[in-house]
Amino acid sequence: MSGWASALAGGVLIGLAAVLLLWSIGRIAGISGIATGAIEGARGDRAWRLAFLAGLVIAGAIALQFVPAPPRTQTAPAPLLLAAGFLVGFGTRLGSGCTSGHGVCGLGRLSRRSLAAVATFMAFAMATTFIVRQASVSLP
Amino acid sequence: MSRVVIAALASGTLFGAGLAISSMTDRRVVLGFLDVAGRWNPTLAFVLAGAVAVTGVAFHLVLKRPSPMLGGEFHVPRGDAIDRRLLSGAAIFGIGWGLVGFCPGPALVGAAAGLADAWIFLPAMIAGGWIAGRATSR
């Protein structure tokens, strides 16, 4: 499949996953929220979260064996990866959602709140990428 | 396994396969999408477009039902407040996402697939979430 076709097919699968979760058990498929609840949530509320995350990582890791996969070796400096990881964890918790919860699910519900979140994180992500690329081009 | 657990497992499975097939787990592709002012690769717009096309139609129909198929109630956020906490959280997340191109789902899948980048990113992501939770629960 060409790039856009596999992107569209993957997006449709993600959308179907979110619909299945809401239709069957009434939950929003927001990964940061599901993961937080799996670690810190009430005991009786953990089983479905752990099952979702298990399916996510097992299916994702298997599927990556059949598509052009990213390199396994480290491709960015550790301090950059650590700083970015911290910001992503902190920001998604503070803002109550990530690309899946606010993006896939929030936009699907026509939530104004999620639309504001998506516009904000997209704008900041694009600005950050721009600045990093400018800085790395101007380095000797 | 309960039917609730099987449904969640099935949903996670579809989601993980979707992330891998769509190249969302390849942070170089994600950065190519975010680099709108440079050599922009718009392909990933199709991921969000495909997903929201499905949820935009189906969520509306699902939420007309009185309750979820396997019982209980719909756990949908009710608040509609666009406050400082939401926007600052989204901005901080955006900066982290723009720095290396991992958001939470792809970081989890990448770690399971043995990507070294994700193995370094993930513990810091969990720590960041934990600290934000501590800071905001006071």
Side-chain angles (χ1 to χ4, degrees), chain B residues 86-116:
Chain B
L86 175 80
L87 296 179
S88 51
I92 293 167
F93 162 45
I95 294 169
W97 192 30
L99 279 178
V100 305
F102 276 138
C103 55
L108 287 166
V109 170
L115 310 186

mmCIF file of all heavy atoms in Angstrom, chain B residues 86-116:
data_model
loop_
_atom_site.group_PDB
_atom_site.id
_atom_site.type_symbol
_atom_site.label_atom_id
_atom_site.label_comp_id
_atom_site.label_asym_id
_atom_site.label_seq_id
_atom_site.Cartn_x
_atom_site.Cartn_y
_atom_site.Cartn_z
ATOM 1 N N LEU B 86 -6.437 22.901 30.716
ATOM 2 C CA LEU B 86 -6.534 22.149 29.452
ATOM 3 C C LEU B 86 -5.511 22.656 28.435
ATOM 4 O O LEU B 86 -4.774 21.877 27.826
ATOM 5 C CB LEU B 86 -7.946 22.298 28.870
ATOM 6 C CG LEU B 86 -8.146 21.663 27.488
ATOM 7 C CD1 LEU B 86 -8.361 20.162 27.616
ATOM 8 C CD2 LEU B 86 -9.316 22.298 26.747
ATOM 9 N N LEU B 87 -5.473 23.987 28.275
ATOM 10 C CA LEU B 87 -4.626 24.559 27.219
ATOM 11 C C LEU B 87 -3.147 24.447 27.560
ATOM 12 O O LEU B 87 -2.324 24.178 26.687
ATOM 13 C CB LEU B 87 -5.026 26.016 26.968
ATOM 14 C CG LEU B 87 -6.457 26.194 26.435
ATOM 15 C CD1 LEU B 87 -6.778 27.665 26.244
ATOM 16 C CD2 LEU B 87 -6.665 25.440 25.126
ATOM 17 N N SER B 88 -2.788 24.636 28.844
ATOM 18 C CA SER B 88 -1.367 24.505 29.181
ATOM 19 C C SER B 88 -0.937 23.050 29.084
ATOM 20 O O SER B 88 0.168 22.740 28.625
ATOM 21 C CB SER B 88 -1.055 25.120 30.550
ATOM 22 O OG SER B 88 -1.939 24.641 31.530
ATOM 23 N N GLY B 89 -1.816 22.125 29.474
ATOM 24 C CA GLY B 89 -1.479 20.713 29.322
ATOM 25 C C GLY B 89 -1.282 20.349 27.866
ATOM 26 O O GLY B 89 -0.305 19.684 27.494
ATOM 27 N N ALA B 90 -2.188 20.817 27.005
ATOM 28 C CA ALA B 90 -2.078 20.515 25.570
ATOM 29 C C ALA B 90 -0.811 21.134 24.984
ATOM 30 O O ALA B 90 -0.139 20.523 24.145
ATOM 31 C CB ALA B 90 -3.322 21.023 24.832
ATOM 32 N N ALA B 91 -0.472 22.352 25.428
ATOM 33 C CA ALA B 91 0.740 23.017 24.919
ATOM 34 C C ALA B 91 1.992 22.239 25.328
ATOM 35 O O ALA B 91 2.893 22.013 24.506
ATOM 36 C CB ALA B 91 0.801 24.453 25.450
ATOM 37 N N ILE B 92 2.050 21.805 26.598
ATOM 38 C CA ILE B 92 3.221 21.053 27.081
ATOM 39 C C ILE B 92 3.327 19.722 26.337
ATOM 40 O O ILE B 92 4.406 19.320 25.897
ATOM 41 C CB ILE B 92 3.114 20.840 28.609
ATOM 42 C CG1 ILE B 92 3.239 22.176 29.332
ATOM 43 C CG2 ILE B 92 4.171 19.849 29.105
ATOM 44 C CD1 ILE B 92 2.843 22.129 30.801
ATOM 45 N N PHE B 93 2.199 19.053 26.167
ATOM 46 C CA PHE B 93 2.197 17.806 25.393
ATOM 47 C C PHE B 93 2.696 18.068 23.973
ATOM 48 O O PHE B 93 3.531 17.325 23.439
ATOM 49 C CB PHE B 93 0.786 17.201 25.389
ATOM 50 C CG PHE B 93 0.550 16.171 24.311
ATOM 51 C CD1 PHE B 93 1.481 15.187 24.047
ATOM 52 C CD2 PHE B 93 -0.626 16.191 23.566
ATOM 53 C CE1 PHE B 93 1.259 14.241 23.045
ATOM 54 C CE2 PHE B 93 -0.853 15.259 22.569
ATOM 55 C CZ PHE B 93 0.097 14.291 22.304
ATOM 56 N N GLY B 94 2.215 19.154 23.350
ATOM 57 C CA GLY B 94 2.612 19.462 21.977
ATOM 58 C C GLY B 94 4.109 19.676 21.842
ATOM 59 O O GLY B 94 4.725 19.214 20.877
ATOM 60 N N ILE B 95 4.705 20.352 22.822
ATOM 61 C CA ILE B 95 6.156 20.582 22.775
ATOM 62 C C ILE B 95 6.896 19.243 22.833
ATOM 63 O O ILE B 95 7.803 18.984 22.042
ATOM 64 C CB ILE B 95 6.585 21.520 23.926
ATOM 65 C CG1 ILE B 95 5.985 22.914 23.716
ATOM 66 C CG2 ILE B 95 8.118 21.600 24.007
ATOM 67 C CD1 ILE B 95 6.129 23.840 24.918
ATOM 68 N N GLY B 96 6.480 18.374 23.751
ATOM 69 C CA GLY B 96 7.138 17.066 23.859
ATOM 70 C C GLY B 96 6.962 16.234 22.594
ATOM 71 O O GLY B 96 7.901 15.592 22.118
ATOM 72 N N TRP B 97 5.757 16.287 22.035
ATOM 73 C CA TRP B 97 5.458 15.532 20.806
ATOM 74 C C TRP B 97 6.305 16.066 19.653
ATOM 75 O O TRP B 97 6.886 15.305 18.864
ATOM 76 C CB TRP B 97 3.963 15.650 20.494
ATOM 77 C CG TRP B 97 3.454 14.717 19.448
ATOM 78 C CD1 TRP B 97 3.930 13.467 19.161
ATOM 79 C CD2 TRP B 97 2.367 14.944 18.549
ATOM 80 N NE1 TRP B 97 3.195 12.909 18.138
ATOM 81 C CE2 TRP B 97 2.234 13.792 17.748
ATOM 82 C CE3 TRP B 97 1.478 16.011 18.351
ATOM 83 C CZ2 TRP B 97 1.254 13.677 16.758
ATOM 84 C CZ3 TRP B 97 0.503 15.893 17.371
ATOM 85 C CH2 TRP B 97 0.393 14.739 16.573
ATOM 86 N N GLY B 98 6.411 17.402 19.559
ATOM 87 C CA GLY B 98 7.177 18.010 18.484
ATOM 88 C C GLY B 98 8.680 17.805 18.605
ATOM 89 O O GLY B 98 9.404 17.869 17.625
ATOM 90 N N LEU B 99 9.153 17.566 19.845
ATOM 91 C CA LEU B 99 10.594 17.351 20.036
ATOM 92 C C LEU B 99 11.052 16.039 19.409
ATOM 93 O O LEU B 99 12.080 15.984 18.737
ATOM 94 C CB LEU B 99 10.944 17.348 21.529
ATOM 95 C CG LEU B 99 11.111 18.702 22.220
ATOM 96 C CD1 LEU B 99 11.396 18.492 23.708
ATOM 97 C CD2 LEU B 99 12.245 19.495 21.586
ATOM 98 N N VAL B 100 10.312 14.943 19.656
ATOM 99 C CA VAL B 100 10.792 13.656 19.125
ATOM 100 C C VAL B 100 9.775 12.882 18.296
ATOM 101 O O VAL B 100 10.140 11.923 17.624
ATOM 102 C CB VAL B 100 11.358 12.729 20.231
ATOM 103 C CG1 VAL B 100 12.436 13.419 21.028
ATOM 104 C CG2 VAL B 100 10.279 12.196 21.120
ATOM 105 N N GLY B 101 8.493 13.249 18.343
ATOM 106 C CA GLY B 101 7.523 12.582 17.478
ATOM 107 C C GLY B 101 6.818 11.369 18.073
ATOM 108 O O GLY B 101 6.162 10.623 17.342
ATOM 109 N N PHE B 102 6.946 11.185 19.391
ATOM 110 C CA PHE B 102 6.191 10.107 20.050
ATOM 111 C C PHE B 102 5.031 10.704 20.833
ATOM 112 O O PHE B 102 5.239 11.611 21.644
ATOM 113 C CB PHE B 102 7.047 9.358 21.074
ATOM 114 C CG PHE B 102 7.900 8.258 20.515
ATOM 115 C CD1 PHE B 102 9.208 8.104 20.950
ATOM 116 C CD2 PHE B 102 7.405 7.348 19.591
ATOM 117 C CE1 PHE B 102 10.013 7.080 20.468
ATOM 118 C CE2 PHE B 102 8.206 6.323 19.100
ATOM 119 C CZ PHE B 102 9.511 6.191 19.534
ATOM 120 N N CYS B 103 3.818 10.168 20.657
ATOM 121 C CA CYS B 103 2.737 10.435 21.592
ATOM 122 C C CYS B 103 2.503 9.131 22.368
ATOM 123 O O CYS B 103 3.184 8.127 22.113
ATOM 124 C CB CYS B 103 1.498 10.993 20.875
ATOM 125 S SG CYS B 103 0.854 10.000 19.528
ATOM 126 N N PRO B 104 1.609 9.105 23.364
ATOM 127 C CA PRO B 104 1.582 7.947 24.285
ATOM 128 C C PRO B 104 1.367 6.578 23.633
ATOM 129 O O PRO B 104 2.082 5.617 23.960
ATOM 130 C CB PRO B 104 0.440 8.310 25.243
ATOM 131 C CG PRO B 104 0.506 9.800 25.314
ATOM 132 C CD PRO B 104 0.805 10.228 23.892
ATOM 133 N N GLY B 105 0.396 6.439 22.729
ATOM 134 C CA GLY B 105 0.125 5.120 22.135
ATOM 135 C C GLY B 105 1.332 4.561 21.381
ATOM 136 O O GLY B 105 1.789 3.446 21.649
ATOM 137 N N PRO B 106 1.856 5.322 20.427
ATOM 138 C CA PRO B 106 3.047 4.852 19.696
ATOM 139 C C PRO B 106 4.246 4.585 20.606
ATOM 140 O O PRO B 106 5.055 3.696 20.310
ATOM 141 C CB PRO B 106 3.319 6.007 18.724
ATOM 142 C CG PRO B 106 1.965 6.573 18.464
ATOM 143 C CD PRO B 106 1.255 6.503 19.786
ATOM 144 N N ALA B 107 4.392 5.334 21.703
ATOM 145 C CA ALA B 107 5.511 5.071 22.622
ATOM 146 C C ALA B 107 5.347 3.692 23.263
ATOM 147 O O ALA B 107 6.317 2.932 23.398
ATOM 148 C CB ALA B 107 5.583 6.157 23.689
ATOM 149 N N LEU B 108 4.107 3.353 23.652
ATOM 150 C CA LEU B 108 3.857 2.033 24.251
ATOM 151 C C LEU B 108 4.103 0.916 23.238
ATOM 152 O O LEU B 108 4.774 -0.076 23.548
ATOM 153 C CB LEU B 108 2.407 1.951 24.764
ATOM 154 C CG LEU B 108 2.095 2.736 26.036
ATOM 155 C CD1 LEU B 108 0.588 2.851 26.234
ATOM 156 C CD2 LEU B 108 2.729 2.043 27.238
ATOM 157 N N VAL B 109 3.570 1.086 22.027
ATOM 158 C CA VAL B 109 3.762 0.063 20.990
ATOM 159 C C VAL B 109 5.242 -0.044 20.630
ATOM 160 O O VAL B 109 5.791 -1.151 20.490
ATOM 161 C CB VAL B 109 2.916 0.391 19.739
ATOM 162 C CG1 VAL B 109 3.281 -0.518 18.579
ATOM 163 C CG2 VAL B 109 1.428 0.271 20.062
ATOM 164 N N GLY B 110 5.911 1.103 20.498
ATOM 165 C CA GLY B 110 7.322 1.103 20.153
ATOM 166 C C GLY B 110 8.164 0.385 21.196
ATOM 167 O O GLY B 110 9.086 -0.368 20.868
ATOM 168 N N ALA B 111 7.843 0.602 22.471
ATOM 169 C CA ALA B 111 8.589 -0.085 23.533
ATOM 170 C C ALA B 111 8.372 -1.595 23.442
ATOM 171 O O ALA B 111 9.319 -2.383 23.564
ATOM 172 C CB ALA B 111 8.159 0.443 24.896
ATOM 173 N N ALA B 112 7.113 -2.003 23.171
ATOM 174 C CA ALA B 112 6.832 -3.441 23.053
ATOM 175 C C ALA B 112 7.541 -4.048 21.854
ATOM 176 O O ALA B 112 7.913 -5.223 21.863
ATOM 177 C CB ALA B 112 5.317 -3.672 22.942
ATOM 178 N N ALA B 113 7.743 -3.241 20.796
ATOM 179 C CA ALA B 113 8.419 -3.731 19.596
ATOM 180 C C ALA B 113 9.939 -3.659 19.722
ATOM 181 O O ALA B 113 10.651 -4.004 18.792
ATOM 182 C CB ALA B 113 7.949 -2.926 18.376
ATOM 183 N N GLY B 114 10.415 -3.159 20.868
ATOM 184 C CA GLY B 114 11.858 -3.160 21.113
ATOM 185 C C GLY B 114 12.607 -1.983 20.531
ATOM 186 O O GLY B 114 13.820 -2.061 20.324
ATOM 187 N N LEU B 115 11.899 -0.856 20.273
ATOM 188 C CA LEU B 115 12.604 0.325 19.763
ATOM 189 C C LEU B 115 13.342 1.009 20.917
ATOM 190 O O LEU B 115 12.739 1.377 21.927
ATOM 191 C CB LEU B 115 11.627 1.321 19.140
ATOM 192 C CG LEU B 115 10.620 0.801 18.104
ATOM 193 C CD1 LEU B 115 9.856 1.976 17.496
ATOM 194 C CD2 LEU B 115 11.305 -0.011 17.029
ATOM 195 N N ALA B 116 14.635 1.208 20.762
ATOM 196 C CA ALA B 116 15.445 1.789 21.839
ATOM 197 C C ALA B 116 14.948 3.185 22.219
ATOM 198 O O ALA B 116 14.889 3.531 23.405
ATOM 199 C CB ALA B 116 16.911 1.844 21.411
#
